[in-house]
Each structure stands twice: as C-alpha cells, then as structure tokens.
Amino acid sequence: MPDTAAGRRRSLLHETRCGNCSLSSLCLPLALELEDIDQFDAIIRRRAPLKKGESLFRQGGAFTSVYAVRSGSLKQVTSEGSGADQLTNFYLPSELVGLDGIDEDAYPGSVIALETTTVCEIPFDRLDALSERLPKLRTQLYRSMSKEMRDDRRMMRLLSRKTADQRLATFFASLSDRFRRRGYSPYSFRLSMSRADIGNYLGLAVETVSRILGRFQQQGLVAVSGREVNILDLDALIELAEEEGCH
Amino acid sequence: MPDTAAGRRRSLLHETRCGNCSLSSLCLPLALELEDIDQFDAIIRRRAPLKKGESLFRQGGAFTSVYAVRSGSLKQVTSEGSGADQLTNFYLPSELVGLDGIDEDAYPGSVIALETTTVCEIPFDRLDALSERLPKLRTQLYRSMSKEMRDDRRMMRLLSRKTADQRLATFFASLSDRFRRRGYSPYSFRLSMSRADIGNYLGLAVETVSRILGRFQQQGLVAVSGREVNILDLDALIELAEEEGCH
DNA sequence: CGAAGTATTGACCAGATTCAACTCGCGTGG
DNA sequence: CCACGCGAGTTGAATCTGGTCAATACTTCG
C-alpha cells in the first residue's frame, strides 16, 4: 500500500539509501566499499523537502550538520554588518553544504532553497567519528573541503580580473559543465536562480546581467527565454570566459 | 660549540620543537596535550629558510605536504591560462599553507616568500594518519580548512561589493588585527609585499593603490613611508571598511 | 484579472583603469 | 665614493566599463 503513511515513509527511507542513490558516484561516500557505505548510510538523516524560499539553516545558527544536496538547488547568502547581502555559492545535487561552519561552530551564512529541494543531513559529530574508522571517508571529506577552497580561489579570480561579459560566460560554462557531470544536458537547462541572484553572485548589477544576456543572444551564443537557457556555442562561451586582458 | 654543523643542526632542531614554539597557541597543534604534541612534533620536517622571492612550491607540483609558517611571510599566486596572475593569499606566521592542494593532489598555485621565511613542513600522509589517532588534531585540521573557506567568502564579498577605498581600509585593518594576534604592534609594521602585490590581491591597479594611500595619508588615517606603515586612526579605518553602500 | 515581483531597456554618471611621464630609493660596478 | 641604472612608487589626464536611476514590459500567482 504505497499510499499509507507507513508505506510512504518506507519508500522515502528506501529512497535515501546511499547504496542505490544515483549520485553516489559524485557524493561524499564515493570511495567507500559496499559495507562501509552502509555504515555511512546509517548516520544520515532524512529531511522533509524544502520548498522554494525555505532555508536549510540560518546565518549564525549552531553548526550541527553538513548536508548533501539530493535534488533541487540552493543558494548561500551572507549578510555582514548592516547592509547588502552577498551570495557566495550555488549548490547543486551531490554537493556538500555547511562545511564552512565547522570553525566557529556556527553557519556563516543562510542557505536557501531555490526550488523544491531535498537534502541528506549528516550530523557532523557522527561523520567525524566515522571518519576516524574509515580513512577513505576522511580523505573524501578533506578533498571536498579542499575543492571548495580551490573553487573559491577561482571565484576570486573571476571577481577581480574578469569583465562582466567574461563573468557571465564563465557562469554559463560552469553551469553547463556541472549539469553534464550530473548526467543532464549541458546545452539546455532551466535556471533556478533569478537574475538578481546571478548578479549578486557575480558582483554585477541586475541590469548588467540583463544587458549582457541580450548581447549574448544577439551574438548567437545562447538563446535565453526567461529562465530557460539553450547554449548554442559552448566553445565560444568558454573561449570568451578564458580570454585574457589584451595588452 | 654552537658553531659546528652538528651544533647548528641541533639548535635548529631544537628551535622547531612545537612544545617551545611561540606560535603553538595559534598553530595547528593548539588543542593538543603535551604528549600528543610530541607525536605531532615527530612528523614535522625542517626546511632551510627561504630567501625573498624563492618559492616554497610551484603551481602544479605534486601535493605532498602542508606547511606552517614559522617566521616571515609568503604570497600565493595562481596563473590560469595564458595571462595575468592572481594573488590569492598572504600567509603570516602560524598560518597553514597548501591545504587547497589535497583535492587533485597538486598545488593550485605557487607560494613565494616575500622576505626571508622559515616554515615547518608537515607531510600530509603522516598528518592524516596521526589525525586518525588524535581527534583533537583532526578537529583542528577541519577548523583550519573551514576558516580558510570563511576567509575566502569574506574576500569575495570584498571583491564584489567594496569600493577601492574600502578594500584598502579592510586590508590594513585586517593586517593590523593579524599582527595584534601574533603579539606585534597593531599600529606600526612593515609591509613585506609590494604595492603591485597589494593591488593584485585586492583587485585594483597599482596606481589606484598608490592614490588611495596618498588620500588616506591626507585624511590622517595612516602614515606611510615606503613599506613602513603607521596606523593613526584604526577605528576610522574599520568604520570605512564596513561602511555600507549608501542608497 | 489585477498586483507584486521580476526582467528589460535607455540615459547619464562616476569610480577605477590605462597610458604616460616622472621621481625616488637602492644596489652595483666603475 | 659616486654615478648610473633599474625597479618600485607616485602623479596627472583621458577613457571606459559598469553602476545608478527611471521608465516600461513581462510573469506569475493569488
């Protein structure tokens, strides 16, 4: 009876087993043996799906868990001092959220769902304990953090050296690549974030995002209609993204 | 006979013991018990001091170790594609260098001494193994990485939201704070990096750095003479750094 | 269907870059 | 010891990219 509460719960539980998760080749337990995966699986907690706009946690909240995105997408927003927020990251399925809260035992930003989103909650103390026994898990955790640091550096480079056009081009190329890795079309996808989010993330005004998108369209690089994106010339986008300041 | 090779080596070895290192309260082993510190100490390798301009490791080099800065300072430089380098970080004593190389098993940037600099080399495989037995060390390692992620986010905010004045103000306030924590004067110090380095780091042209430094001087915020800095009004600097875009 | 939020477009403005000239400080070698 | 030369730093003028403000269209959702 899949429609009883118990039936639904079972199917949800079943659904969250890492062993049969389609993301297992990208996610934290990627290096684990079958039996180890079960151990890992055991510490994971299900969360009810988040609806668009709901927050996974709020800035300043006590750090307890990291989260693996299972479906949907989220944004991380940090508001410092009195003023404007800074959008520091978008998270897609298989990515790990909350690692920057370990130090200071508090989340340094709020993380908000951009659409209906499900996540796996991984209590950090249990993850840490398990990582003591599973060197591969530990390694993977180090790798995840290290990767995030590398991505951050790339973002700094984008923010301090690239023109608005290059930022947008980089953004689309990167999204395309992330979708490809997850088995989706790298050429055709739907943006879950608003133009304002994109601008905030890339350090640009909304108007600039809009204008450049228009230009890209004229140049035949992409076809954009609302949040629906078709990438027409990925190579050109990538080239534009990498292009060096011509002296 | 402190002048024999053996004597010198002994004194150097002695010098590098974590137990009597003045930085131990800031550095990686900060949470360890005395006996644990000795274990940690045992895996550390001395390195000959780096002279100004020498590199600790080069971008793309195989990742083997992380390094704790003991004295002096370094910069991390990433050159992507064909063109301009990006200076992604300055490292001061007690800070950990190279953590972003774990993922990909290669250093994502070159790290270069800005002055005569000594570091402690910590082979990562041994650190990882030791962290299996010492939960506090593991925690500290997670914390270090987490902190670096947080700092990166702050940098992104600086690069995407702050004006040139605010960037410089933030830079000086942050340096001041880092010196204070290390027991040096927060008001008077010597910059080990060039104006070009500062500009590169903050995403500004050298000329802009120079001009704004001049303005700060006129406003009585700092007194700068070459690389010698005196901070005259730290509070004003901090306020300027935090100031919000006034709508 | 209407209202509020989201996106686009245009005109104008300003902060920062670029280019170029010039000065200063420092180390080297004559 | 001083002159020289080079790199680092400063200053000025012109330019330009992207931001701001304002008006207008499009969507999405109650």
Side-chain angles (χ1 to χ4, degrees), chain A residues 195-209:
Chain A
R195 302 284 192 273
D197 286 338
I198 297 174
N200 190 330
Y201 178 60
L202 297 176
L204 299 171
V206 203
E207 294 93 327
T208 308
V209 174

Side-chain angles (χ1 to χ4, degrees), chain A residues 150-234:
Chain A
R150 272 215 340 284
D151 290 345
D152 287 350
R153 304 278 146 90
R154 222 172 262 138
M155 198 63 197
M156 290 184 208
R157 184 178 139 77
L158 177 142
L159 291 171
S160 79
R161 303 237 96 78
K162 295 192 179 180
T163 66
D165 296 52
Q166 295 181 304
R167 294 184 198 191
L168 258 301
T170 307
F171 179 70
F172 280 116
S174 157
L175 263 189
S176 166
D177 187 52
R178 285 158 86 183
F179 282 125
R180 185 209 309 278
R181 284 182 202 281
R182 283 167 185 77
Y184 300 111
S185 165
Y187 300 113
S188 175
F189 45 85
R190 184 169 215 299
L191 299 173
S192 59
M193 66 289 285
S194 68
R195 302 284 192 273
D197 286 338
I198 297 174
N200 190 330
Y201 178 60
L202 297 176
L204 299 171
V206 203
E207 294 93 327
T208 308
V209 174
S210 214
R211 268 187 265 272
I212 291 174
L213 246 47
R215 205 182 313 150
F216 279 4
Q217 198 139 219
Q218 285 192 329
Q219 297 168 341
L221 297 174
V222 296
V224 185
S225 160
R227 297 195 172 181
E228 219 58 57
V229 176
N230 264 66
I231 297 196
L232 302 176
D233 191 343
L234 184 55

Side-chain angles (χ1 to χ4, degrees), chain A:
Chain A
M1 306 283 107
D3 258 347
T4 63
R8 237 179 294 122
R9 173 164 328 157
R10 180 193 302 284
S11 89
L12 287 171
L13 280 172
H14 181 70
E15 207 184 311
T16 56
R17 306 222 66 192
C18 294
N20 52 28
C21 175
S22 63
L23 297 168
S24 60
S25 65
L26 297 161
C27 193
L28 196 51
L30 101 178
L32 300 184
E33 313 295 333
L34 222 63
E35 56 190 317
D36 295 344
I37 287 198
D38 285 343
Q39 288 190 60
F40 179 76
D41 208 303
I43 69 172
I44 289 189
R45 286 213 286 257
R46 261 208 92 262
R47 298 264 302 212
L50 292 165
K51 287 201 281 282
K52 180 173 175 172
E54 286 182 341
S55 64
L56 182 55
F57 49 74
R58 298 213 159 275
Q59 179 166 5
F63 171 80
T64 56
S65 304
V66 298
Y67 300 84
V69 184
R70 163 165 276 273
S71 71
S73 54
L74 308 115
K75 62 177 174 182
Q76 179 171 52
V77 178
T78 309
S79 54
E80 208 161 313
S82 44
D85 292 349
Q86 169 72 18
L87 203 168
T88 49
N89 229 335
F90 294 112
Y91 294 103
L92 295 188
S94 88
E95 293 175 336
L96 232 41
V97 183
L99 287 167
D100 47 4
I102 298 177
D103 184 46
E104 304 214 327
D105 289 317
Y107 296 108
S110 300
V111 170
I112 298 165
L114 293 168
E115 58 195 312
T116 302
T117 296
T118 58
V119 299
C120 300
E121 176 176 2
I122 312 170
F124 188 72
D125 51 356
R126 307 196 62 181
L127 177 60
D128 181 41
L130 191 59
S131 82
E132 185 168 306
R133 286 187 288 125
L134 302 178
K136 286 185 178 169
L137 179 61
R138 196 169 61 235
T139 299
Q140 196 51 37
L141 192 49
Y142 288 140
R143 277 185 200 280
S144 294
M145 299 183 78
S146 177
K147 175 167 184 343
E148 201 157 334
M149 289 163 61
R150 272 215 340 284
D151 290 345
D152 287 350
R153 304 278 146 90
R154 222 172 262 138
M155 198 63 197
M156 290 184 208
R157 184 178 139 77
L158 177 142
L159 291 171
S160 79
R161 303 237 96 78
K162 295 192 179 180
T163 66
D165 296 52
Q166 295 181 304
R167 294 184 198 191
L168 258 301
T170 307
F171 179 70
F172 280 116
S174 157
L175 263 189
S176 166
D177 187 52
R178 285 158 86 183
F179 282 125
R180 185 209 309 278
R181 284 182 202 281
R182 283 167 185 77
Y184 300 111
S185 165
Y187 300 113
S188 175
F189 45 85
R190 184 169 215 299
L191 299 173
S192 59
M193 66 289 285
S194 68
R195 302 284 192 273
D197 286 338
I198 297 174
N200 190 330
Y201 178 60
L202 297 176
L204 299 171
V206 203
E207 294 93 327
T208 308
V209 174
S210 214
R211 268 187 265 272
I212 291 174
L213 246 47
R215 205 182 313 150
F216 279 4
Q217 198 139 219
Q218 285 192 329
Q219 297 168 341
L221 297 174
V222 296
V224 185
S225 160
R227 297 195 172 181
E228 219 58 57
V229 176
N230 264 66
I231 297 196
L232 302 176
D233 191 343
L234 184 55
D235 291 341
L237 269 184
I238 291 173
E239 177 162 6
L240 175 54
E242 314 278 78
E243 206 165 81
E244 281 308 327
C246 34
H247 299 251

Side-chain angles (χ1 to χ4, degrees), chain B residues 164-174 212 216 236-238 240-241:
Chain B
D165 297 50
Q166 296 181 302
R167 294 183 198 192
L168 258 299
T170 307
F171 180 69
F172 280 115
S174 157
I212 291 174
F216 279 4
L237 268 185
I238 291 173
L240 175 54

